[in-house]
Amino acid sequence: MGYTTDWKPTKAENPSFVCRECKSDDVEYREWESSDGAHDDLHYRCNGCKRTWWVEGADA
């Protein structure tokens, strides 16, 4: 299925969330769902140091 949301700032939902690399709070995320709907993951990007990373969600 792919990405189910556009990039959203993490500050709105979690004001204390920061990048582990540079400690910037200018971090965004978007949600991704597998084609079979069994996996929902989060893709993060830091606008400070340009780092990107994934966090796996619970599997359905």
Side-chain angles (χ1 to χ4, degrees):
M1 187 158 176
Y3 292 103
T4 57
T5 65
D6 289 328
W7 291 105
K8 300 186 283 188
T10 58
K11 280 190 231 184
E13 296 174 25
N14 188 353
S16 62
F17 191 92
V18 297
C19 173
R20 285 195 270 177
E21 189 74 24
C22 74
K23 308 301 184 217
S24 171
D25 66 352
D26 189 6
V27 178
E28 298 175 310
Y29 75 98
R30 60 185 173 175
E31 298 172 15
W32 179 86
E33 183 179 322
S34 63
S35 59
D36 62 4
H39 306 282
D40 294 321
D41 300 332
L42 296 176
H43 186 200
Y44 289 91
R45 73 176 175 194
C46 175
N47 292 315
C49 67
K50 306 302 181 202
R51 178 176 171 256
T52 65
W53 67 98
W54 290 85
V55 174
E56 288 189 28
D59 297 341

